[in-house]
Short mmCIF file of all heavy atoms in Angstrom, two decimals:
data_model
loop_
_atom_site.label_atom_id
_atom_site.label_comp_id
_atom_site.label_asym_id
_atom_site.label_seq_id
_atom_site.Cartn_x
_atom_site.Cartn_y
_atom_site.Cartn_z
N MET A 28 -12.74 9.22 -22.22
CA MET A 28 -12.11 8.14 -21.50
C MET A 28 -10.89 8.70 -20.67
O MET A 28 -10.68 8.25 -19.57
CB MET A 28 -11.68 7.05 -22.45
CG MET A 28 -11.17 5.82 -21.70
SD MET A 28 -10.97 4.34 -22.73
CE MET A 28 -9.73 4.82 -23.85
N ARG A 29 -10.21 9.64 -21.19
CA ARG A 29 -9.05 10.17 -20.47
C ARG A 29 -9.48 10.86 -19.21
O ARG A 29 -8.78 10.78 -18.20
CB ARG A 29 -8.29 11.21 -21.40
CG ARG A 29 -7.52 10.52 -22.45
CD ARG A 29 -6.75 11.56 -23.22
NE ARG A 29 -6.17 10.93 -24.40
CZ ARG A 29 -5.21 11.41 -25.09
NH1 ARG A 29 -4.66 12.57 -24.72
NH2 ARG A 29 -4.73 10.78 -26.10
N ARG A 30 -10.63 11.49 -19.24
CA ARG A 30 -11.17 12.18 -18.07
C ARG A 30 -11.48 11.15 -16.95
O ARG A 30 -11.12 11.35 -15.80
CB ARG A 30 -12.43 12.97 -18.45
CG ARG A 30 -13.01 13.74 -17.26
CD ARG A 30 -14.14 14.62 -17.73
NE ARG A 30 -15.04 14.75 -16.63
CZ ARG A 30 -16.21 14.15 -16.53
NH1 ARG A 30 -16.65 13.42 -17.45
NH2 ARG A 30 -16.98 14.34 -15.48
N GLN A 31 -12.08 10.05 -17.40
CA GLN A 31 -12.39 8.97 -16.43
C GLN A 31 -11.08 8.35 -15.85
O GLN A 31 -11.04 8.07 -14.61
CB GLN A 31 -13.23 7.87 -17.07
CG GLN A 31 -14.59 8.36 -17.45
CD GLN A 31 -15.46 8.74 -16.22
OE1 GLN A 31 -15.38 8.08 -15.16
NE2 GLN A 31 -16.23 9.79 -16.38
N LEU A 32 -10.11 8.20 -16.67
CA LEU A 32 -8.83 7.65 -16.18
C LEU A 32 -8.15 8.60 -15.19
O LEU A 32 -7.65 8.20 -14.16
CB LEU A 32 -7.92 7.32 -17.34
CG LEU A 32 -6.57 6.73 -17.02
CD1 LEU A 32 -6.71 5.41 -16.29
CD2 LEU A 32 -5.71 6.56 -18.23
N GLY A 33 -8.16 9.87 -15.58
CA GLY A 33 -7.65 10.93 -14.66
C GLY A 33 -8.33 10.93 -13.32
O GLY A 33 -7.76 11.07 -12.29
N LEU A 34 -9.68 10.82 -13.40
CA LEU A 34 -10.49 10.80 -12.19
C LEU A 34 -10.17 9.56 -11.36
O LEU A 34 -9.98 9.67 -10.10
CB LEU A 34 -12.00 10.76 -12.57
CG LEU A 34 -12.97 10.75 -11.42
CD1 LEU A 34 -12.80 11.99 -10.51
CD2 LEU A 34 -14.37 10.70 -11.98
N LEU A 35 -10.02 8.41 -12.01
CA LEU A 35 -9.62 7.15 -11.30
C LEU A 35 -8.31 7.32 -10.59
O LEU A 35 -8.17 7.05 -9.37
CB LEU A 35 -9.54 5.99 -12.32
CG LEU A 35 -8.98 4.68 -11.75
CD1 LEU A 35 -9.82 4.13 -10.65
CD2 LEU A 35 -8.81 3.73 -12.89
N ILE A 36 -7.37 7.84 -11.25
CA ILE A 36 -5.98 8.01 -10.65
C ILE A 36 -6.07 9.03 -9.51
O ILE A 36 -5.49 8.80 -8.41
CB ILE A 36 -4.97 8.45 -11.70
CG1 ILE A 36 -4.74 7.36 -12.73
CG2 ILE A 36 -3.66 8.91 -11.07
CD1 ILE A 36 -3.98 7.73 -13.94
N GLY A 37 -6.80 10.10 -9.73
CA GLY A 37 -6.90 11.15 -8.64
C GLY A 37 -7.61 10.60 -7.42
O GLY A 37 -7.15 10.90 -6.35
N LEU A 38 -8.63 9.79 -7.61
CA LEU A 38 -9.39 9.25 -6.49
C LEU A 38 -8.53 8.29 -5.71
O LEU A 38 -8.55 8.20 -4.51
CB LEU A 38 -10.66 8.62 -6.93
CG LEU A 38 -11.79 9.61 -7.40
CD1 LEU A 38 -12.90 8.83 -8.03
CD2 LEU A 38 -12.24 10.48 -6.23
N VAL A 39 -7.80 7.41 -6.45
CA VAL A 39 -6.88 6.47 -5.78
C VAL A 39 -5.82 7.20 -4.97
O VAL A 39 -5.52 6.77 -3.77
CB VAL A 39 -6.26 5.47 -6.74
CG1 VAL A 39 -5.16 4.65 -6.14
CG2 VAL A 39 -7.35 4.56 -7.34
N VAL A 40 -5.21 8.20 -5.53
CA VAL A 40 -4.23 8.97 -4.83
C VAL A 40 -4.85 9.65 -3.56
O VAL A 40 -4.24 9.66 -2.50
CB VAL A 40 -3.56 10.03 -5.76
CG1 VAL A 40 -2.73 11.06 -4.98
CG2 VAL A 40 -2.70 9.34 -6.82
N ALA A 41 -6.05 10.16 -3.75
CA ALA A 41 -6.74 10.78 -2.55
C ALA A 41 -7.04 9.79 -1.45
O ALA A 41 -6.78 10.07 -0.29
CB ALA A 41 -8.00 11.46 -3.04
N VAL A 42 -7.52 8.60 -1.82
CA VAL A 42 -7.81 7.58 -0.80
C VAL A 42 -6.51 7.21 -0.11
O VAL A 42 -6.46 7.09 1.10
CB VAL A 42 -8.51 6.34 -1.40
CG1 VAL A 42 -8.52 5.18 -0.48
CG2 VAL A 42 -9.94 6.73 -1.84
N ASP A 43 -5.45 6.97 -0.88
CA ASP A 43 -4.21 6.59 -0.30
C ASP A 43 -3.66 7.74 0.62
O ASP A 43 -3.14 7.43 1.67
CB ASP A 43 -3.19 6.29 -1.38
CG ASP A 43 -3.42 4.93 -2.04
OD1 ASP A 43 -4.27 4.15 -1.55
OD2 ASP A 43 -2.73 4.63 -2.99
N ALA A 44 -3.80 8.94 0.20
CA ALA A 44 -3.30 10.07 1.02
C ALA A 44 -4.08 10.11 2.34
O ALA A 44 -3.45 10.32 3.42
CB ALA A 44 -3.42 11.36 0.29
N VAL A 45 -5.35 9.97 2.30
CA VAL A 45 -6.16 10.04 3.52
C VAL A 45 -5.79 8.86 4.49
O VAL A 45 -5.55 9.09 5.65
CB VAL A 45 -7.68 9.99 3.18
CG1 VAL A 45 -8.51 9.67 4.46
CG2 VAL A 45 -8.13 11.29 2.51
N PHE A 46 -5.68 7.66 3.92
CA PHE A 46 -5.40 6.49 4.81
C PHE A 46 -3.95 6.58 5.27
O PHE A 46 -3.68 6.20 6.44
CB PHE A 46 -5.67 5.24 4.05
CG PHE A 46 -7.14 4.80 4.23
CD1 PHE A 46 -8.07 5.24 3.33
CD2 PHE A 46 -7.54 3.95 5.24
CE1 PHE A 46 -9.41 4.86 3.46
CE2 PHE A 46 -8.86 3.58 5.38
CZ PHE A 46 -9.78 4.04 4.50
N PHE A 47 -3.03 7.02 4.47
CA PHE A 47 -1.67 7.16 4.94
C PHE A 47 -1.60 8.20 6.07
O PHE A 47 -0.88 8.02 7.07
CB PHE A 47 -0.68 7.53 3.83
CG PHE A 47 0.73 7.59 4.26
CD1 PHE A 47 1.44 6.44 4.56
CD2 PHE A 47 1.30 8.83 4.50
CE1 PHE A 47 2.75 6.53 4.98
CE2 PHE A 47 2.59 8.90 4.92
CZ PHE A 47 3.35 7.76 5.18
N GLY A 48 -2.31 9.31 5.87
CA GLY A 48 -2.32 10.35 6.92
C GLY A 48 -2.91 9.83 8.25
O GLY A 48 -2.33 10.05 9.29
N VAL A 49 -3.99 9.09 8.11
CA VAL A 49 -4.60 8.50 9.38
C VAL A 49 -3.59 7.51 10.01
O VAL A 49 -3.41 7.50 11.22
CB VAL A 49 -5.93 7.80 9.02
CG1 VAL A 49 -6.43 6.94 10.22
CG2 VAL A 49 -6.94 8.81 8.61
N TYR A 50 -2.99 6.71 9.15
CA TYR A 50 -2.01 5.69 9.66
C TYR A 50 -0.87 6.41 10.45
O TYR A 50 -0.50 6.00 11.56
CB TYR A 50 -1.44 4.89 8.51
CG TYR A 50 -0.47 3.78 8.89
CD1 TYR A 50 -0.98 2.54 9.19
CD2 TYR A 50 0.90 3.98 8.95
CE1 TYR A 50 -0.12 1.47 9.56
CE2 TYR A 50 1.75 2.96 9.34
CZ TYR A 50 1.20 1.70 9.62
OH TYR A 50 2.04 0.72 10.00
N ALA A 51 -0.33 7.46 9.83
CA ALA A 51 0.77 8.19 10.47
C ALA A 51 0.35 8.91 11.72
O ALA A 51 0.99 8.89 12.73
CB ALA A 51 1.38 9.15 9.46
N LEU A 52 -0.76 9.64 11.64
CA LEU A 52 -1.21 10.47 12.80
C LEU A 52 -1.69 9.65 13.91
O LEU A 52 -1.56 10.07 15.06
CB LEU A 52 -2.28 11.45 12.30
CG LEU A 52 -1.86 12.56 11.34
CD1 LEU A 52 -3.09 13.31 10.86
CD2 LEU A 52 -0.83 13.46 11.98
N ALA A 53 -2.27 8.49 13.62
CA ALA A 53 -2.74 7.61 14.71
C ALA A 53 -1.66 6.76 15.27
O ALA A 53 -1.90 6.01 16.22
CB ALA A 53 -3.94 6.78 14.22
N GLY A 54 -0.48 6.80 14.71
CA GLY A 54 0.62 5.90 15.18
C GLY A 54 0.34 4.43 15.00
O GLY A 54 0.70 3.67 15.87
N LEU A 55 -0.27 4.06 13.92
CA LEU A 55 -0.62 2.66 13.75
C LEU A 55 0.55 1.77 13.48
O LEU A 55 0.45 0.56 13.54
CB LEU A 55 -1.66 2.52 12.63
CG LEU A 55 -3.04 3.09 13.01
CD1 LEU A 55 -3.97 2.98 11.81
CD2 LEU A 55 -3.63 2.36 14.17
N GLY A 56 1.72 2.33 13.26
CA GLY A 56 2.94 1.53 13.09
C GLY A 56 3.27 0.78 14.36
O GLY A 56 3.91 -0.28 14.32
N ARG A 57 2.83 1.32 15.48
CA ARG A 57 3.09 0.68 16.77
C ARG A 57 1.86 -0.10 17.29
O ARG A 57 1.87 -0.62 18.45
CB ARG A 57 3.54 1.69 17.79
CG ARG A 57 4.79 2.43 17.46
CD ARG A 57 5.16 3.44 18.52
NE ARG A 57 4.11 4.46 18.71
CZ ARG A 57 4.02 5.59 18.03
NH1 ARG A 57 4.90 5.89 17.16
NH2 ARG A 57 3.08 6.42 18.33
N ALA A 58 0.86 -0.21 16.50
CA ALA A 58 -0.44 -0.85 16.98
C ALA A 58 -0.29 -2.37 16.92
O ALA A 58 0.68 -2.96 16.31
CB ALA A 58 -1.56 -0.41 16.03
N ALA A 59 -1.20 -3.04 17.56
CA ALA A 59 -1.27 -4.52 17.58
C ALA A 59 -1.47 -5.02 16.12
O ALA A 59 -2.10 -4.35 15.32
CB ALA A 59 -2.41 -4.94 18.49
N PRO A 60 -1.02 -6.22 15.89
CA PRO A 60 -1.20 -6.79 14.51
C PRO A 60 -2.66 -6.87 14.06
O PRO A 60 -2.94 -6.64 12.89
CB PRO A 60 -0.61 -8.23 14.63
CG PRO A 60 0.38 -8.12 15.77
CD PRO A 60 -0.23 -7.11 16.71
N GLY A 61 -3.59 -7.14 14.97
CA GLY A 61 -4.95 -7.16 14.57
C GLY A 61 -5.50 -5.81 14.12
O GLY A 61 -6.32 -5.74 13.23
N VAL A 62 -5.06 -4.81 14.80
CA VAL A 62 -5.47 -3.43 14.42
C VAL A 62 -4.91 -3.07 13.06
O VAL A 62 -5.58 -2.52 12.19
CB VAL A 62 -5.02 -2.38 15.48
CG1 VAL A 62 -5.28 -0.94 15.01
CG2 VAL A 62 -5.68 -2.68 16.81
N LYS A 63 -3.64 -3.42 12.80
CA LYS A 63 -3.01 -3.18 11.51
C LYS A 63 -3.78 -3.92 10.37
O LYS A 63 -4.05 -3.41 9.32
CB LYS A 63 -1.58 -3.57 11.53
CG LYS A 63 -0.66 -2.68 12.31
CD LYS A 63 0.73 -3.18 12.25
CE LYS A 63 1.68 -2.36 13.11
NZ LYS A 63 3.06 -2.85 13.01
N LEU A 64 -4.09 -5.19 10.69
CA LEU A 64 -4.83 -5.96 9.69
C LEU A 64 -6.18 -5.35 9.41
O LEU A 64 -6.57 -5.23 8.26
CB LEU A 64 -5.02 -7.43 10.20
CG LEU A 64 -5.76 -8.36 9.22
CD1 LEU A 64 -5.04 -8.44 7.90
CD2 LEU A 64 -5.93 -9.73 9.87
N GLY A 65 -6.93 -4.95 10.40
CA GLY A 65 -8.21 -4.31 10.20
C GLY A 65 -8.08 -3.04 9.40
O GLY A 65 -8.91 -2.76 8.50
N PHE A 66 -7.07 -2.25 9.67
CA PHE A 66 -6.85 -1.00 8.96
C PHE A 66 -6.51 -1.31 7.51
O PHE A 66 -7.05 -0.62 6.60
CB PHE A 66 -5.70 -0.22 9.62
CG PHE A 66 -5.49 1.15 8.97
CD1 PHE A 66 -6.26 2.18 9.34
CD2 PHE A 66 -4.49 1.32 8.04
CE1 PHE A 66 -6.07 3.46 8.79
CE2 PHE A 66 -4.28 2.57 7.51
CZ PHE A 66 -5.06 3.62 7.85
N THR A 67 -5.77 -2.33 7.24
CA THR A 67 -5.44 -2.76 5.87
C THR A 67 -6.62 -3.19 5.09
O THR A 67 -6.81 -2.84 3.96
CB THR A 67 -4.32 -3.80 5.91
OG1 THR A 67 -3.19 -3.33 6.54
CG2 THR A 67 -3.93 -4.25 4.47
N VAL A 68 -7.46 -3.95 5.78
CA VAL A 68 -8.74 -4.43 5.13
C VAL A 68 -9.62 -3.23 4.82
O VAL A 68 -10.19 -3.19 3.71
CB VAL A 68 -9.47 -5.45 6.06
CG1 VAL A 68 -10.88 -5.71 5.56
CG2 VAL A 68 -8.62 -6.73 6.14
N LEU A 69 -9.73 -2.28 5.68
CA LEU A 69 -10.55 -1.09 5.47
C LEU A 69 -10.00 -0.26 4.30
O LEU A 69 -10.73 0.19 3.42
CB LEU A 69 -10.63 -0.26 6.77
CG LEU A 69 -11.46 0.98 6.68
CD1 LEU A 69 -12.92 0.63 6.46
CD2 LEU A 69 -11.36 1.69 8.00
N TRP A 70 -8.67 -0.07 4.28
CA TRP A 70 -8.01 0.66 3.23
C TRP A 70 -8.21 -0.03 1.89
O TRP A 70 -8.55 0.61 0.89
CB TRP A 70 -6.52 0.71 3.51
CG TRP A 70 -5.67 1.66 2.70
CD1 TRP A 70 -5.98 2.19 1.54
CD2 TRP A 70 -4.40 2.21 3.07
NE1 TRP A 70 -4.95 2.98 1.06
CE2 TRP A 70 -3.94 2.97 1.98
CE3 TRP A 70 -3.54 1.97 4.13
CZ2 TRP A 70 -2.73 3.62 2.01
CZ3 TRP A 70 -2.31 2.69 4.15
CH2 TRP A 70 -1.93 3.48 3.09
N THR A 71 -8.14 -1.36 1.82
CA THR A 71 -8.32 -2.05 0.58
C THR A 71 -9.77 -1.99 0.14
O THR A 71 -10.04 -1.76 -1.07
CB THR A 71 -7.94 -3.59 0.78
OG1 THR A 71 -6.59 -3.63 1.13
CG2 THR A 71 -8.14 -4.39 -0.48
N ALA A 72 -10.72 -2.05 1.03
CA ALA A 72 -12.13 -1.94 0.69
C ALA A 72 -12.45 -0.57 0.17
O ALA A 72 -13.20 -0.40 -0.82
CB ALA A 72 -13.00 -2.26 1.92
N ALA A 73 -11.85 0.50 0.77
CA ALA A 73 -12.11 1.87 0.32
C ALA A 73 -11.49 2.05 -1.11
O ALA A 73 -12.12 2.66 -1.96
CB ALA A 73 -11.45 2.86 1.27
N THR A 74 -10.34 1.45 -1.29
CA THR A 74 -9.71 1.55 -2.67
C THR A 74 -10.55 0.86 -3.68
O THR A 74 -10.79 1.39 -4.82
CB THR A 74 -8.29 1.01 -2.60
OG1 THR A 74 -7.51 1.75 -1.69
CG2 THR A 74 -7.63 1.08 -3.98
N LEU A 75 -11.05 -0.33 -3.39
CA LEU A 75 -11.91 -1.08 -4.31
C LEU A 75 -13.21 -0.35 -4.55
O LEU A 75 -13.71 -0.33 -5.73
CB LEU A 75 -12.18 -2.45 -3.79
CG LEU A 75 -11.02 -3.45 -3.90
CD1 LEU A 75 -11.38 -4.77 -3.15
CD2 LEU A 75 -10.65 -3.72 -5.33
N ALA A 76 -13.76 0.29 -3.58
CA ALA A 76 -15.01 1.07 -3.75
C ALA A 76 -14.81 2.21 -4.68
O ALA A 76 -15.78 2.64 -5.34
CB ALA A 76 -15.48 1.53 -2.34
N VAL A 77 -13.62 2.75 -4.74
CA VAL A 77 -13.29 3.84 -5.69
C VAL A 77 -12.96 3.26 -7.09
O VAL A 77 -13.40 3.84 -8.09
CB VAL A 77 -12.15 4.68 -5.14
CG1 VAL A 77 -11.60 5.61 -6.20
CG2 VAL A 77 -12.57 5.46 -3.92
N VAL A 78 -12.20 2.22 -7.12
CA VAL A 78 -11.69 1.72 -8.39
C VAL A 78 -12.74 0.97 -9.24
O VAL A 78 -12.83 1.25 -10.46
CB VAL A 78 -10.44 0.79 -8.17
CG1 VAL A 78 -10.06 0.01 -9.40
CG2 VAL A 78 -9.30 1.61 -7.65
N LEU A 79 -13.47 0.10 -8.68
CA LEU A 79 -14.39 -0.79 -9.45
C LEU A 79 -15.44 0.01 -10.26
O LEU A 79 -15.61 -0.25 -11.41
CB LEU A 79 -15.01 -1.80 -8.55
CG LEU A 79 -14.04 -2.83 -8.01
CD1 LEU A 79 -14.80 -3.84 -7.11
CD2 LEU A 79 -13.35 -3.58 -9.12
N PRO A 80 -16.07 1.04 -9.67
CA PRO A 80 -17.00 1.78 -10.51
C PRO A 80 -16.39 2.55 -11.67
O PRO A 80 -16.92 2.63 -12.74
CB PRO A 80 -17.72 2.75 -9.54
CG PRO A 80 -17.48 2.16 -8.23
CD PRO A 80 -16.18 1.41 -8.26
N ARG A 81 -15.19 3.13 -11.35
CA ARG A 81 -14.49 3.88 -12.44
C ARG A 81 -14.02 2.94 -13.56
O ARG A 81 -14.08 3.30 -14.72
CB ARG A 81 -13.25 4.57 -11.88
CG ARG A 81 -13.57 5.66 -10.89
CD ARG A 81 -14.25 6.86 -11.57
NE ARG A 81 -15.66 6.90 -11.18
CZ ARG A 81 -16.65 7.28 -11.88
NH1 ARG A 81 -16.48 7.75 -13.06
NH2 ARG A 81 -17.86 7.27 -11.43
N LEU A 82 -13.50 1.75 -13.18
CA LEU A 82 -13.05 0.79 -14.17
C LEU A 82 -14.23 0.34 -15.07
O LEU A 82 -14.15 0.16 -16.24
CB LEU A 82 -12.37 -0.41 -13.56
CG LEU A 82 -10.92 -0.22 -13.11
CD1 LEU A 82 -10.41 -1.50 -12.48
CD2 LEU A 82 -10.05 0.23 -14.22
N THR A 83 -15.39 0.11 -14.38
CA THR A 83 -16.57 -0.29 -15.20
C THR A 83 -16.93 0.80 -16.18
O THR A 83 -17.25 0.50 -17.34
CB THR A 83 -17.81 -0.49 -14.17
OG1 THR A 83 -17.39 -1.54 -13.31
CG2 THR A 83 -19.01 -0.86 -14.93
N ARG A 84 -16.88 2.09 -15.81
CA ARG A 84 -17.21 3.17 -16.67
C ARG A 84 -16.18 3.24 -17.80
O ARG A 84 -16.59 3.48 -18.96
CB ARG A 84 -17.25 4.48 -15.91
CG ARG A 84 -17.64 5.63 -16.70
CD ARG A 84 -19.02 5.53 -17.28
NE ARG A 84 -19.35 6.63 -18.15
CZ ARG A 84 -19.91 6.53 -19.33
NH1 ARG A 84 -20.32 5.37 -19.76
NH2 ARG A 84 -20.09 7.59 -20.08
N ILE A 85 -14.94 3.07 -17.49
CA ILE A 85 -13.93 3.11 -18.52
C ILE A 85 -14.15 1.99 -19.57
O ILE A 85 -14.02 2.16 -20.76
CB ILE A 85 -12.47 3.04 -17.91
CG1 ILE A 85 -12.20 4.34 -17.18
CG2 ILE A 85 -11.43 2.73 -18.97
CD1 ILE A 85 -10.92 4.30 -16.35
N ARG A 86 -14.46 0.74 -19.12
CA ARG A 86 -14.76 -0.35 -19.99
C ARG A 86 -15.93 -0.01 -20.87
O ARG A 86 -15.98 -0.33 -22.07
CB ARG A 86 -15.00 -1.59 -19.19
CG ARG A 86 -13.78 -2.24 -18.68
CD ARG A 86 -14.05 -3.58 -18.01
NE ARG A 86 -12.89 -4.00 -17.23
CZ ARG A 86 -12.89 -4.22 -15.96
NH1 ARG A 86 -14.03 -4.07 -15.20
NH2 ARG A 86 -11.83 -4.59 -15.31
N GLU A 87 -17.00 0.61 -20.31
CA GLU A 87 -18.15 0.97 -21.11
C GLU A 87 -17.77 1.97 -22.17
O GLU A 87 -18.23 1.85 -23.33
CB GLU A 87 -19.25 1.58 -20.18
CG GLU A 87 -19.89 0.62 -19.30
CD GLU A 87 -20.86 1.28 -18.27
OE1 GLU A 87 -20.84 2.51 -18.19
OE2 GLU A 87 -21.60 0.54 -17.61
N LEU A 88 -16.93 2.94 -21.86
CA LEU A 88 -16.52 3.93 -22.81
C LEU A 88 -15.68 3.27 -23.93
O LEU A 88 -15.81 3.66 -25.10
CB LEU A 88 -15.75 5.03 -22.17
CG LEU A 88 -16.55 5.97 -21.26
CD1 LEU A 88 -15.68 6.91 -20.47
CD2 LEU A 88 -17.55 6.75 -22.07
N ARG A 89 -14.83 2.33 -23.61
CA ARG A 89 -14.00 1.64 -24.62
C ARG A 89 -14.87 0.81 -25.55
O ARG A 89 -14.52 0.67 -26.72
CB ARG A 89 -12.99 0.74 -23.94
CG ARG A 89 -11.89 1.56 -23.27
CD ARG A 89 -10.80 0.73 -22.69
NE ARG A 89 -10.10 0.08 -23.83
CZ ARG A 89 -9.18 -0.82 -23.73
NH1 ARG A 89 -8.92 -1.31 -22.51
NH2 ARG A 89 -8.56 -1.33 -24.70
N ARG A 90 -16.01 0.26 -25.01
CA ARG A 90 -16.95 -0.50 -25.91
C ARG A 90 -17.88 0.40 -26.69
O ARG A 90 -18.62 -0.09 -27.54
CB ARG A 90 -17.75 -1.44 -25.01
CG ARG A 90 -16.96 -2.55 -24.41
CD ARG A 90 -17.86 -3.50 -23.70
NE ARG A 90 -17.15 -4.45 -22.92
CZ ARG A 90 -17.40 -4.82 -21.69
NH1 ARG A 90 -18.51 -4.36 -21.12
NH2 ARG A 90 -16.64 -5.69 -21.07
N GLY A 91 -17.87 1.68 -26.38
CA GLY A 91 -18.74 2.57 -27.10
C GLY A 91 -20.14 2.68 -26.52
O GLY A 91 -21.08 3.07 -27.20
N LEU A 92 -20.31 2.33 -25.28
CA LEU A 92 -21.65 2.41 -24.64
C LEU A 92 -21.93 3.77 -24.04
O LEU A 92 -21.11 4.39 -23.53
CB LEU A 92 -21.76 1.31 -23.59
CG LEU A 92 -21.60 -0.12 -24.11
CD1 LEU A 92 -21.66 -1.10 -22.93
CD2 LEU A 92 -22.70 -0.46 -25.09
#
């Protein structure tokens, strides 16, 4: 279970690092509000795509499956 938790944390940090890098390099701080909102939605979807499967696996391990 610790390995899965470490993997979850590492993947979230990696997703955040990639999206923060894109945000900074693309200069999205000065972008239109719609662009910022779209970027935020994409970032949230990517984070959920990483988190939900890992959390499911951690729950399975806690239940002994």
Side-chain angles (χ1 to χ4, degrees):
M28 188 166 63
R29 288 183 190 199
R30 183 173 150 255
Q31 292 296 322
L32 181 60
L34 180 60
L35 170 64
I36 292 168
L38 288 171
V39 169
V40 168
V42 167
D43 285 352
V45 167
F46 274 86
F47 182 75
V49 169
Y50 185 88
L52 291 174
L55 291 176
R57 297 180 304 269
V62 173
K63 288 181 185 179
L64 179 61
F66 185 80
T67 302
V68 168
L69 184 62
W70 191 341
T71 302
T74 302
L75 285 173
V77 167
V78 169
L79 293 178
R81 293 293 107 212
L82 282 179
T83 301
R84 182 64 184 136
I85 290 170
R86 285 187 193 119
E87 289 172 352
L88 290 171
R89 288 185 70 190
R90 290 184 190 139
L92 299 176

